[in-house]
Amino acid sequence: LVEAGYTQFVRRSLIDAGAQISAIKPPGFSVQQPAGKWTVEPEQEIPADDLQRFIDDWQQAAALNVQAADTTANGDTVEITFAGEPGSLSFVIVSREPELVLARPDLGIQYRMGSTANRLLTLTPPPTEDTENSP
């Protein structure tokens, strides 16, 4: 471990355990819980289960690995606000393809999320086995 880089000691989860998300603003839309019910802006017809899945995916998101990042990384951002906490957490979207990579330039790290993590940027649920095989 003495030879390991500092990124080997950074936890891979994006959100602290116990932190409760109150709003997420990825590019193109936002999801927030102003009065106990999740809402989407711009307004869309999204089933409550899909909204909760989106929040749960963020709440439980963990990187495949953590790497050093360029502190000047720029691009689209994802802003996350937490209940009872001032300010927000910002991630820069470094890459979407072939896999999602989110950076924290303020910390000089980036999270390699993998190819299936693009669900963190959309409200559309991932296809199920039934819908993939349907005509």
Side-chain angles (χ1 to χ4, degrees), residues 6 8 12 17 26 30 32 42 46 49-50 53-55 59 66 74 81-83 98 101 110-111 116 120 132 134:
Y6 73 92
Q8 298 301 309
R12 295 181 308 145
S30 68
Q32 48 198 330
I46 305 292
D49 289 346
D50 290 347
R53 176 203 48 85
F54 178 76
I55 299 302
Q59 201 75 53
V66 179
N74 59 24
T81 306
F82 299 97
V101 177
Q110 66 184 25
Y111 299 90
T116 60
L120 297 173
E132 288 176 348
S134 63

Side-chain angles (χ1 to χ4, degrees), residues 22-80:
S22 61
I24 301 177
K25 296 177 184 172
F29 67 97
S30 68
V31 177
Q32 48 198 330
Q33 190 179 37
K37 181 182 175 189
W38 292 107
T39 60
V40 180
E41 291 293 329
E43 192 172 325
Q44 303 174 40
E45 286 296 320
I46 305 292
D49 289 346
D50 290 347
L51 283 174
Q52 190 60 55
R53 176 203 48 85
F54 178 76
I55 299 302
D56 291 346
D57 284 349
W58 271 102
Q59 201 75 53
Q60 300 164 9
L64 298 173
N65 66 32
V66 179
Q67 305 165 330
D70 182 355
T71 57
T72 61
N74 59 24
D76 289 337
T77 62
V78 178
E79 296 285 330
I80 302 176

Side-chain angles (χ1 to χ4, degrees), residues 107-122:
L107 300 178
I109 59 174
Q110 66 184 25
Y111 299 90
R112 188 172 67 88
M113 303 300 295
S115 59
T116 60
N118 279 319
R119 70 184 185 282
L120 297 173
L121 302 177
T122 181

